[in-house]
Each structure stands twice: as structure tokens, then as C-alpha cells.
């Protein structure tokens, strides 16, 4: 496929016209501050963010926090300005961690007696193992699946006096305490992922024999324990580089736009990930556009060229993995490509894991006469600023794919250029032991180079579609919930989508598989599907079917034998069966029935339910028997622990039963519809009696003084089930307004933390626009003021806005519940 030459010649003029139109359409569609800014967002492996308000103030990162460096610079008449990314920090290993070597450990999963941290402690009854230590089968050499583990790593160190400032290189999941030669040097609650912590007392480290002792508690989900020692390498000093002055940043649903003053030239930089949910071909294409638009700001002409460098860290799980790069041409594109030499396809699973198979591609139109080359990452900046000559390097670690685009003479008329960055993952997931290719190459016959060429040809068309969608989505959200609500939707749109992969099952069904980011790493988790569903019901219900299909297959194939719905299909990217240690029977069965009914409401028929009627009937009977007054079982808020007689979970069961009745009615089975409608309405009356606490309803039945968000109730209103009287809605909403903190409504009376997706659902219980705005205003404030700079965490503290846990999760698709509710405001 070739890019038409006349298209390139006319591109500057047409793009300028389009930009004016796009800016006009999006004048109000602005989010100017984000906890972290989405740059490249396609799936859980190809997801790059900037964690600072100024784009050049930090290294760009994968959503997990691991460095995945993008560098951008502009040369204006010989003066270089940096506008994108900061140099990654490099570390030299003194005691390598598991990403470099597998080391010997002694461990026990039974609490040891005596001073187990002492250097001379005798661990004769402990087991012998090798790192990595964790519960990721296939990745970890020592499998740890209990709650607690105690480890000792013995090691030798040479002349300590020759070492500089030392840092502990630590990974653990979840809580950890660490001792060096018997003295505590570190403790943290929660997950740490290859973080570097200064060893405050270097004197604890002795020449000769030393011992690390570590206790880690796995509170749920992934498990990991790893420790090493590193020394910070000296920063490279770059001469003659100034920092571009960032003028603005704007986040829209599909784009992040920056503007800079670079001396006498203004630069606009746009990252576009065209995640349009109604176009599966485009949605599944893992290619982002980076657009540069430069013009003079002093009415003179200036010689301009732009540098872009992408680290090979985008194609590895750990920086120490060797990679190989190459250059090639396809159609009218020149392309750089890099991937690991090992290519361990689908061999790693887990939460804090990045892709280390497949290839990163950086492409630029040949008509731009750009220079493309590969260097070491440390040498990349110097190769543009006039430093020492940099030889081409095609093998090694920490390489940089470099592109220099000449803009020529730039005056008052804007000069625009674009490039592409894409990731070819070869195989996307394993589904019940069958490796599945990504949707764009389901046949296995498509070539990624041709995909890049097609994306280049369609660039202008796709950019126009993105601009139009961004403007329309903002207008719709604005009309639905006001400016702050519209900003929240624009902020979370790409995050919600980019935690999924689109594939086709061996049975020919669509699969839209989520990863439960930083909350276990599970694949196709039902209680992650549930909160994210409004986004897909609003824009393409087929994708929601793709989230349910695998769970239905799991039961209907006979693999999952329980009478209730499964929790998940495995640990990403291996969907071979549930790996979460405990089921959520009422939670997941209710979720599946409710979402099937929601699909029928949006589609206007119950054909999808008809295909799975036997399974739905099995699950609804479980809800009828066990759902009204739930036993001591987990729900989606599992981080808060088990809870018996959960009033909100009971409400889910009631709504689920009523949804089943509505499906039966759509299928013409009035006898079944009447039966289950009667069951649901009888339960409502009992629920109101057992949960009543005067001015609100309780957290658990007959537990006076407690309360909780009844977010499951929103489906009664959205699907027009007419179960609960209006007084229940009004009583709850009025009570919630008295319980809000600065950054939101707590989840329930047990803690002050919250889940922001549930707040957006809870706010949907009211039809009063002012009350809705009062409930979502603190969530908006949280998004703008949180000190935790990660892709939006949906689990935060309402008193200070700090992340409690989770990040970059797809559940923020639940923010679109109000828009969904409005779109279904009349019976369909």
C-alpha cells in the first residue's frame, strides 16, 4: 500500500483547515489537569502516560509506573528545546534482583519462632528455593500461594567503602517488612513494583557476609517478594538544551494536545489514539498518531527540525532483557522496529507485567525525508544536539528508536507533520489453551507494516472522526450532567478502553477481554465488567457481549461446574479458567443477569439472552435461593472484606431477579416473567423492613447506625424495572449529601475511603440535577487535586484525595452511567 504523493503535498493546507474546525468544535471540551496524562493508549501492554503537568518534567511511563521513555526535542535555528520526556534514571546493580538473576533463598510459610532476622539465625527447617518468588505460575521459580511468606537471602559484598549512596531495589505484593543484618530498613503496606528506596544506614552493610530477611503478606490477588541493592548512576549532562515553555495541555476523549513556546517558534503536539468504539477495525488497530504543528511567532522564518526517540523499554518486561532492532520500508513509510531477542510469546502472566514479545514500530512518511536510526538510550539526546558521533546499534539493552523530521523553513503559516507508533503483539491472549491473535490479524495473514501504511493513508480521515467524536461526546456529557461531569467522562474514556484486548474466540464470538489492572491482574473479571459496562452499552453493546461471552462459555462448556457465575477466566493474558481464590456467587450471578438484560434493553430484543437461557435460569435460581439475605461472602468490594447480610448485595440479587423476569417477558414467556417479578417485588418489601434505619438504609440488615452506597439500585431506574418506590431513592440521596467529605462520598460507614465509579452510579439515583452535581463535584475535585500521579485510581481516600489502591482500571467506564440513563430515558 502506498501513500498518494498528492495527498502529502496537499496535507498541510487541508490539515490546517481541519485543525481550525476541530479547535472550534472542541473549544469547551477541555480537561486541563489530569492525575496522569494519556499519551499512547491501546491495550494493557501498549499504554504510555505522563505523570506531570509539564510534559518534559518526568519520564513517560507504562501505566504500571515502569519507565517507558519517549523523548521529544525541537531544533530552532540551531537551538535545541526539549518538550517531551525526561531522561530515565539508570541504576547499577550491586546485588542483582530477580529481573537480572535467579538467586537462592530460604523461606517458610509458617511463622518462625526466634529472631528470624538475625544474621546467625539457623533456618535449618526452612525450605530452599530460587527467585522469582510469587504466585505467577510459569513465571515464578518458587511458588507462593499462602497468605504469608518469610524469606532470607544471604549474600557477599566486597569493599563497602568504594560504594556510593545505595538504594534498596524492592518488589512486593502486598505488605512487606525488610531487615538487613537484623535491623529493619523498610516497611510498607500495599504493593511496590521495582521501586528504589535509599538505604538510610549504609553502615548496616558489611564487607563479606550479609543477610536480607523479608516478611510479605499477600492480602489477595498477585503475590511477589524480591530484593536487591543498586547504586544510582550519574546523570548525563546535556549541553545547549533548553526546556520548551509549555503553554497548555488539553485532554479530550481520544486525544491529548499540548502547546509550547520554543523560542521564536510555537509547537503544537497531539497524541491521538483513535479508540472509536463503533469501529472495531479501527479500535483494534494498535497504532497511535503523533502530530507536530510548528509556526513562527515573530513573523520571521526559522529552520526547524524535530526529534522523537522511543525507548526499547516499550518492548520488554524488564530493562535488562536484550533486544534487537531493524529498519525497513513499507509502501511510502520508513519504519524502525524493535523486540526482545527471546520472544517469549504469552509466557508471562500477572499484574505488574509488561509485554516482552512482539515488536514496537515507529513509522514516518518517506516523503518527509526524515532520518531514522538506532542508538543506545543514553546517547539518543546527544545524537540530536551535536554531541559525539553515535554509531548505529541494533542489538543490546536500553536502545532508542530515533527519528529526526526536517520541517525546513517555518514562517507564520503552520507546517504540520505526523508519525505513527504501533505495537505488533503477534498473539494477544490464550483462551482455554488456544493462542488467539489480535482482532486486526485474526486470520494470521495480515502484515503489521501494511497496517501502518493503511493507517497513514487514513490519517486525515481518522483524525477528523476523532475530533468529531470528541466534540459530540463532550456535548452529550455536558447536557447530561454539566461541565464537571463532562470533564470526568473526557478524562476517563481512553483509560477505560485501554485495559482491554479485542479478539475472536475459536467459536467465532467476539471477546473484549479486560485486565484487572493493579488489583490482581485477572482476565475478564465479571465484577470489573459490571462497573465498566455503561461505556459499552452507550457506544457499542457488542463489546459488552464480548465481555460476557467468555463467562457464558466457561459454564456452558462444562469446565466451570458451580451453580453460580464465575469470577474471572484466569490471570492476564491466560484465560484458561478462574484463578481468583474465592468465588463471589451472588455478586457475579447478579452482574451477568443484569448486564444481559441491559443488552436487551439497548438492542431492543432478548435474542442474546435466548442463546444463554438455560445458564441464566440456573443463575437466577441461585439468586432466588441465596441472594436476598446473603451469607458471609465477598462482593465486588472485596478489599473491604467479607460481609454477611449485605443490603447492597441483596439489592443486586433483587434487581437481577427482576431483570430475568423482564427478559422472560421479552421472550414471550409471561408465566416465567410473572413468577420472578412476584419474587422480586416480595423481596423489595422485606428489604425495606430489614434495612430501614429511619432517615436511611443500613449497610447490613438490622444493623442500626450503619450505612452504605446503594449503587446497585441504579439499574432499577436505568432499565425501568419499577421495583423500589421513589421514597427509597430520595431517602438515600438526601442522606448521602450529609455524609460527603472533601473528595467524595465514602463507600460505607466502615471507612472514609471510596470507589469513585460507585459514586457516579449512586449519583445516578437522583433525577435532581443539582443533587447530582453536588455528588459528583467532590469526585471532579479529586481528579484535579489528588497528589497521587497515576492513571486515575478508582479507590481513593475522601479526606485527602490520595490513592488507596488500584490504578488505570477499566471500571471508570462506569462514569458514563448518567449518560446511559439519559439515553434510555424512555422505554425501548
Amino acid at each position: 500500500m502506498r501513500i498518494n504523493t498528492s495527498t502529502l503535498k496537499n496535507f498541510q493546507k487541508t490539515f490546517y483547515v481541519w485543525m481550525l474546525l476541530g479547535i472550534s468544535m472542541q473549544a469547551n471540551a477541555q480537561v486541563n489537569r489530569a492525575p496522569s496524562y494519556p499519551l499512547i493508549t491501546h491495550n494493557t501492554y501498549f499504554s504510555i502516560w505522563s505523570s506531570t503537568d509539564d510534559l518534559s518534567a518526568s519520564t513517560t511511563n507504562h501505566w504500571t509506573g515502569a519507565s517507558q521513555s519517549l523523548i521529544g526535542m525541537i531544533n530552532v535555528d540551531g537551538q535545541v528545546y526539549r518538550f517531551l520526556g525526561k531522561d530515565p534514571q539508570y541504576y547499577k546493580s550491586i546485588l542483582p534482583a530477580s529481573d537480572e538473576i535467579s538467586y537462592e533463598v530460604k523461606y517458610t510459610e509458617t511463622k518462625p519462632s526466634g529472631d528470624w532476622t538475625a544474621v546467625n539465625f539457623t533456618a535449618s527447617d526452612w525450605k530452599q528455593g530460587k527467585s522469582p518468588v510469587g504466585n505467577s505460575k510459569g513465571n515464578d521459580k518458587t511458588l507462593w500461594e499462602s497468605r504469608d511468606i518469610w524469606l532470607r537471602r544471604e549474600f557477599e559484598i566486597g569493599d563497602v567503602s568504594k560504594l556510593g549512596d545505595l538504594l534498596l531495589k524492592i518488589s512486593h505484593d502486598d505488605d512487606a517488612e525488610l531487615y538487613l543484618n537484623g535491623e529493619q530498613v523498610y516497611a510498607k503496606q500495599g504493593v511496590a513494583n521495582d521501586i528504589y528506596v535509599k538505604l538510610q544506614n549504609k553502615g548496616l552493610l558489611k564487607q563479606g557476609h550479609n543477610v536480607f530477611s523479608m516478611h510479605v503478606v499477600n492480602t489477595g490477588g498477585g503475590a511477589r517478594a524480591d530484593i536487591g541493592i543498586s547504586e544510582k548512576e550519574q546523570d548525563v549532562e546535556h549541553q545547549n538544551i533548553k526546556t520548551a515553555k509549555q503553554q497548555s495541555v488539553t485532554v479530550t476523549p481520544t486525544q491529548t494536545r499540548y502547546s509550547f513556546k520554543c523560542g521564536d517558534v510555537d509547537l503544537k503536539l497531539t497524541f491521538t489514539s483513535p479508540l472509536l468504539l463503533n469501529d472495531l477495525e479501527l479500535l483494534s488497530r494498535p497504532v497511535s498518531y503523533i502530530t507536530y504543528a510548528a509556526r513562527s511567532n515573530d513573523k520571521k522564518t526559522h529552520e526547524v527540525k524535530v526529534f522523537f526517540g522511543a525507548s526499547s523499554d516499550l518492548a520488554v518486561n524488564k530493562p535488562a532483557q536484550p533486544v534487537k532492532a531493524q529498519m525497513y520500508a513499507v509502501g511510502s513509510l520508513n519504519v524502525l522496529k524493535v523486540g526482545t531477542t527471546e520472544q517469549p510469546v504469552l509466557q508471562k502472566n500477572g499484574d505488574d507485567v509488561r509485554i516482552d514479545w512482539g515488536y514496537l514500530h515507529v513509522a514516518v512518511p518517506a516523503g518527509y525525508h526524515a532520518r531514522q536510526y538506532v542508538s543506545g538510550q543514553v546517547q539518543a539526546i546527544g545524537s540530536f544536539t551535536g554531541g559525539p558521533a553515535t554509531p548505529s546499534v541494533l542489538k543490546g539493552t536500553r536502545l532508542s528508536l530515533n527519528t529526526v523530521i526536517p520541517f525546513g523553513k517555518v514562517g507564520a503559516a503552520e507546517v504540520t507533520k505526523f508519525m505513527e507508533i504501533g505495537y505488533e503483539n503477534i498473539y494477544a491472549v490464550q483462551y482455554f489453551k488456544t493462542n488467539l491473535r489480535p482482532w486486526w490479524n485474526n486470520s494470521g495473514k495480515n502484515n503489521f507494516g501494511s497496517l501502518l501504511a493503511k493507517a497513514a493513508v487514513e490519517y486525515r480521515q481518522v483524525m477528523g472522526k476523532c475530533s468529531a467524536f470528541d466534540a459530540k461526546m463532550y456535548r452529550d456529557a455536558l447536557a447530561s450532567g454539566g461541565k464537571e461531569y463532562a470533564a470526568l467522562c473526557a478524562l476517563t474514556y481512553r483509560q477505560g478502553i485501554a485495559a482491554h484486548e479485542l479478539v475472536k474466540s475459536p467459536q467465532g464470538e467476539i471477546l473484549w477481554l479486560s485486565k484487572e489492572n493493579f488489583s490482581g491482574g485477572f482476565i475478564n473479571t465479571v465484577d470489573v465488567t459490571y462497573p465498566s459496562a455503561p461505556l459499552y452499552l452507550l457506544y457499542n453493546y457488542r463489546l459488552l457481549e464480548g465481555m460476557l461471552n467468555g463467562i457464558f462459555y466457561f459454564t456452558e462448556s462444562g469446565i466451570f461446574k458451580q451453580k453460580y457465575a464465575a469470577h474471572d477466566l484466569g490471570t492476564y493474558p491466560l484465560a484458561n479458567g478462574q484463578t481468583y481464590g474465592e468465588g463471589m456467587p451472588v455478586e457475579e450471578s447478579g452482574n451477568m443477569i443484569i448486564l444481559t438484560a441491559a443488552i436487551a434493553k439497548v438492542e431492543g430484543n432478548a435474542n442474546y439472552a435466548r442463546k444463554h437461557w438455560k445458564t441464566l435460569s440456573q443463575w437466577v435460581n441461585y439468586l432466588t435461593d441465596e441472594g436476598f439475605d446473603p451469607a458471609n461472602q465477598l462482593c465486588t468490594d472485596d478489599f473491604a472484606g467479607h460481609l454477611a447480610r449485605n443490603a447492597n448485595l441483596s439489592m443486586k440479587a433483587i434487581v437481577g431477579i427482576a431483570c430475568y423476569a423482564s427478559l422472560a417477558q421479552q421472550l414471550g414467556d409471561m408465566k416465567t416473567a410473572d413468577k420472578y417479578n412476584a419474587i422480586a417485588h416480595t423481596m423489595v418489601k422485606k428489604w425495606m423492613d430489614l434495612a430501614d434505619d429511619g432517615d436511611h438504609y443500613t449497610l447490613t440488615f438490622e444493623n442500626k447506625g450503619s450505612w452504605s452506597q446503594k449503587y446497585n439500585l441504579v439499574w432499577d431506574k436505568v432499565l425501568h424495572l419499577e421495583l423500589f418506590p421513589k421514597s427509597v431513592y430520595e431517602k438515600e440521596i438526601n442522606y448521602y449529601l450529609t455524609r460527603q467529605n472533601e473528595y467524595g462520598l465514602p463507600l460505607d460507614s466502615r471507612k472514609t475511603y471510596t470507589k469513585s465509579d460507585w459514586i457516579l452510579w449512586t449519583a445516578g439515583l437522583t433525577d435532581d440535577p443539582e443533587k447530582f452535581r453536588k455528588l459528583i463535584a467532590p469526585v471532579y475535585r479529586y481528579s484535579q487535586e489528588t497528589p497521587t500521579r497515576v492513571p486515575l485510581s478508582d479507590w481513593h481516600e475522601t479526606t485527602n484525595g490520595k490513592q488507596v489502591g488500584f490504578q488505570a482500571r477499566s471500571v471508570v467506564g462506569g462514569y458514563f452511567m448518567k449518560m446511559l440513563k439519559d439515553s434510555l430515558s424512555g422505554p425501548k
Side-chain angles (χ1 to χ4, degrees):
M1 182 178 294
R2 300 188 64 83
I3 302 173
N4 188 285
T5 305
S6 63
T7 299
L8 284 175
K9 289 181 178 178
N10 293 325
F11 170 69
Q12 179 176 328
K13 181 190 299 183
T14 54
F15 180 77
Y16 184 66
V17 172
W18 170 82
M19 278 291 275
L20 289 175
L21 175 62
I23 290 171
S24 174
M25 292 173 70
Q26 298 182 36
N28 295 316
Q30 295 189 7
V31 180
N32 302 120
R33 203 267 188 184
S36 188
Y37 296 85
L39 304 181
I40 310 294
T41 47
H42 288 278
N43 54 53
T44 188
Y45 289 131
F46 193 32
S47 181
I48 307 170
W49 300 68
S50 171
S51 60
T52 48
D53 298 322
D54 193 316
L55 185 59
S56 64
S58 64
T59 306
T60 58
N61 296 320
H62 185 255
W63 68 261
T64 58
S67 173
Q68 291 194 334
S69 175
L70 302 177
I71 296 291
M73 295 180 289
I74 185 170
N75 186 312
V76 179
D77 296 332
Q79 175 61 60
V80 176
Y81 300 85
R82 185 203 299 253
F83 56 83
L84 164 62
K86 185 179 179 182
D87 286 12
Q89 181 61 61
Y90 296 107
Y91 301 90
K92 179 173 65 177
S93 292
I94 305 302
L95 178 69
S98 296
D99 59 333
E100 295 184 58
I101 66 167
S102 176
Y103 54 81
E104 299 283 341
V105 294
K106 288 186 176 181
Y107 70 98
T108 180
E109 295 171 80
T110 304
K111 186 175 182 179
S113 57
D115 187 3
W116 62 277
T117 69
V119 176
N120 59 359
F121 177 77
T122 301
S124 57
D125 59 341
W126 289 29
K127 298 176 184 177
Q128 192 82 23
K130 285 198 160 211
S131 75
V133 176
N135 65 354
S136 181
K137 296 175 182 177
N139 301 339
D140 295 319
K141 294 191 175 180
T142 296
L143 200 59
W144 161 38
E145 296 183 297
S146 61
R147 183 178 185 275
D148 294 81
I149 194 167
W150 290 261
L151 305 109
R152 286 170 61 87
R153 179 183 185 184
E154 301 187 22
F155 59 97
E156 304 292 321
I157 288 289
D159 189 350
V160 178
S161 65
K162 294 182 179 180
L163 301 175
D165 290 340
L166 299 179
L167 300 105
L168 304 169
K169 183 180 180 182
I170 304 172
S171 286
H172 56 82
D173 191 350
D174 295 278
D175 308 337
E177 54 180 324
L178 177 68
Y179 301 82
L180 174 58
N181 295 329
E183 297 291 331
Q184 186 168 2
V185 291
Y186 172 84
K188 182 180 185 294
Q189 287 189 322
V191 177
N193 306 284
D194 283 343
I195 64 171
Y196 292 89
V197 177
K198 185 175 181 179
L199 178 60
Q200 297 294 341
N201 185 358
K202 182 181 169 182
L204 292 175
L205 194 65
K206 309 298 182 185
Q207 183 169 329
H209 188 69
N210 295 267
V211 179
F212 272 128
S213 306
M214 193 176 192
H215 174 215
V216 183
V217 182
N218 176 26
T219 59
R224 182 175 61 259
D226 189 27
I227 179 64
I229 302 176
S230 297
E231 189 176 30
K232 186 177 179 180
E233 292 186 2
Q234 189 172 357
D235 293 337
V236 178
E237 292 188 12
H238 301 292
Q239 302 297 323
N240 193 35
I241 297 182
K242 295 183 178 180
T243 301
K245 184 177 181 181
Q246 185 172 307
Q247 305 282 68
S248 67
V249 56
T250 302
V251 179
T252 67
T254 65
Q255 301 181 20
T256 302
R257 302 171 179 271
Y258 293 90
S259 64
F260 304 93
K261 187 175 188 298
C262 311
D264 296 327
V265 167
D266 291 338
L267 176 70
K268 294 176 184 176
L269 174 69
T270 303
F271 294 90
T272 304
S273 296
L275 305 182
L276 301 180
L277 294 174
N278 65 347
D279 186 337
L280 297 187
E281 180 185 354
L282 186 59
L283 175 68
S284 67
R285 182 194 295 171
V287 178
S288 273
Y289 301 113
I290 304 175
T291 304
Y292 309 92
R295 66 179 173 188
S296 167
N297 58 40
D298 67 352
K299 300 181 181 180
K300 299 178 181 178
T301 59
H302 302 278
E303 192 70 31
V304 173
K305 56 184 176 181
V306 166
F307 171 91
F308 175 79
S311 169
S312 63
D313 286 351
L314 274 71
V316 301
N317 180 42
K318 299 289 185 179
Q321 291 178 271
V323 297
K324 180 180 179 180
Q326 66 183 80
M327 293 176 271
Y328 71 96
V330 56
S332 293
L333 288 177
N334 292 330
V335 188
L336 293 172
K337 169 182 174 181
V338 69
T340 59
T341 56
E342 183 186 7
Q343 287 297 303
V345 178
L346 294 172
Q347 291 182 24
K348 290 183 176 65
N349 67 311
D351 203 346
D352 183 27
V353 175
R354 288 145 297 280
I355 195 166
D356 58 2
W357 69 90
Y359 300 91
L360 173 73
H361 298 249
V362 177
V364 63
Y368 290 171
H369 304 292
R371 177 187 171 214
Q372 287 194 297
Y373 58 100
V374 182
S375 71
Q377 194 169 323
V378 174
Q379 292 78 34
I381 291 176
S383 71
F384 181 67
T385 60
T390 303
S392 182
V393 180
L394 297 178
K395 291 182 180 180
T397 60
R398 294 190 173 101
L399 303 184
S400 180
L401 306 186
N402 305 317
T403 302
V404 179
I405 303 175
F407 278 58
K409 296 289 185 181
V410 173
E414 204 163 56
V415 179
T416 61
K417 309 279 184 179
F418 77 94
M419 59 190 305
E420 301 172 342
I421 181 167
Y423 204 98
E424 174 190 8
N425 58 358
I426 304 175
Y427 284 98
V429 299
Q430 186 177 98
Y431 183 74
F432 295 101
K433 303 301 182 180
T434 299
N435 291 351
L436 301 183
R437 297 182 185 275
W439 184 275
W440 68 266
N441 190 24
N442 183 63
S443 68
K445 298 178 182 179
N446 295 328
N447 176 273
F448 199 81
S450 298
L451 190 74
L452 290 169
K454 187 174 190 293
V457 169
E458 295 178 354
Y459 168 76
R460 191 156 52 91
Q461 175 188 357
V462 171
M463 292 290 283
K465 286 181 178 180
C466 288
S467 180
F469 172 78
D470 289 353
K472 184 179 188 307
M473 199 203 88
Y474 183 84
R475 289 196 304 270
D476 291 345
L478 183 67
S480 181
K483 287 182 65 175
E484 292 179 340
Y485 178 66
L488 286 170
C489 290
L491 179 65
T492 56
Y493 179 82
R494 268 176 285 169
Q495 175 177 319
I497 296 170
H500 295 82
E501 181 69 60
L502 185 65
V503 294
K504 184 177 289 187
S505 77
Q507 295 76 34
E509 293 187 315
I510 184 174
L511 296 174
W512 181 236
L513 300 175
S514 65
K515 179 176 180 180
E516 192 173 342
N517 288 346
F518 265 25
S519 56
F522 305 105
I523 187 169
N524 204 183
T525 304
V526 178
D527 58 289
V528 169
T529 294
Y530 179 66
S532 65
L535 176 61
Y536 305 104
L537 288 165
L538 192 61
Y539 291 114
N540 189 346
Y541 67 85
R542 285 192 62 209
L543 289 168
L544 181 56
E545 289 181 2
M547 300 164 85
L548 305 188
N549 284 337
I551 302 298
F552 278 122
Y553 174 79
F554 195 18
T555 289
E556 293 165 359
S557 65
I559 300 172
F560 187 73
K561 301 183 184 301
Q562 303 297 332
K563 57 186 177 181
Y564 49 79
H567 171 271
D568 61 81
L569 292 185
T571 303
Y572 202 95
L574 307 181
N576 296 322
Q578 181 171 317
T579 52
Y580 190 73
E582 184 177 352
M584 298 182 185
V586 173
E587 173 72 41
E588 311 302 21
S589 300
N591 291 345
M592 290 294 292
I593 296 171
I594 291 169
L595 295 181
T596 302
I599 289 170
K601 180 71 174 177
V602 171
E603 189 177 9
N605 64 69
N607 292 339
Y608 183 70
R610 189 191 306 275
K611 291 196 305 182
H612 303 291
W613 195 245
K614 181 179 178 181
T615 303
L616 292 166
S617 299
Q618 173 182 309
W619 291 340
V620 80
N621 287 330
Y622 178 84
L623 292 182
T624 301
D625 294 340
E626 306 290 343
F628 173 69
D629 197 347
N632 189 32
Q633 59 178 251
L634 290 175
C635 70
T636 186
D637 304 318
D638 56 348
F639 51 84
H642 292 73
L643 198 63
R645 314 198 74 193
N646 184 334
N648 187 45
L649 188 58
S650 172
M651 188 172 273
K652 174 171 290 182
I654 297 169
V655 171
I657 293 167
C659 282
Y660 178 83
S662 74
L663 289 168
Q665 183 176 355
Q666 284 179 279
L667 292 172
D669 185 352
M670 297 309 299
K671 182 179 179 180
T672 299
D674 291 344
K675 174 186 173 181
Y676 286 93
N677 252 325
I679 291 172
H681 281 86
T682 299
M683 287 181 173
V684 167
K685 294 177 182 178
K686 293 180 181 178
W687 188 96
M688 292 176 65
D689 289 338
L690 291 174
D692 186 55
D693 196 12
D695 61 351
H696 70 281
Y697 294 95
T698 55
L699 166 66
T700 55
F701 288 147
E702 299 181 307
N703 181 15
K704 303 295 185 182
S706 67
W707 65 274
S708 65
Q709 291 188 46
K710 306 301 189 301
Y711 52 81
N712 287 316
L713 180 59
V714 73
W715 291 108
D716 183 25
K717 185 176 286 288
V718 170
L719 300 180
H720 309 286
L721 300 174
E722 299 181 357
L723 282 168
F724 288 81
K726 185 177 180 181
S727 61
V728 173
Y729 292 88
E730 292 177 345
K731 184 184 289 190
E732 285 292 281
I733 286 292
N734 290 335
Y735 186 77
Y736 297 149
L737 291 172
T738 70
R739 290 290 177 174
Q740 292 201 106
N741 291 325
E742 184 176 4
Y743 294 106
L745 175 68
L747 183 64
D748 57 49
S749 52
R750 291 174 291 178
K751 301 281 186 179
T752 55
Y753 60 56
T754 196
K755 289 281 276 83
S756 58
D757 49 334
W758 296 145
I759 293 179
L760 271 290
W761 283 33
T762 296
L765 299 180
T766 182
D767 294 323
D768 185 329
E770 184 60 29
K771 290 180 180 179
F772 176 83
R773 283 192 285 270
K774 284 181 178 179
L775 284 165
I776 65 116
V779 179
Y780 174 75
R781 188 180 306 121
Y782 156 69
S783 76
Q784 298 301 291
E785 298 178 6
T786 176
T788 311
R789 307 309 297 270
V790 298
L792 188 76
S793 170
D794 54 287
W795 183 17
H796 73 270
E797 178 54 62
T798 63
T799 58
N800 57 26
K802 291 182 179 179
Q803 173 191 29
V804 177
F806 309 158
Q807 64 195 51
R809 298 212 309 165
S810 61
V811 301
V812 295
Y815 283 30
F816 290 79
M817 180 59 88
K818 178 64 164 58
M819 291 177 70
L820 175 65
K821 172 185 161 185
D822 291 347
S823 74
L824 298 175
S825 58
K828 185 162 184 173

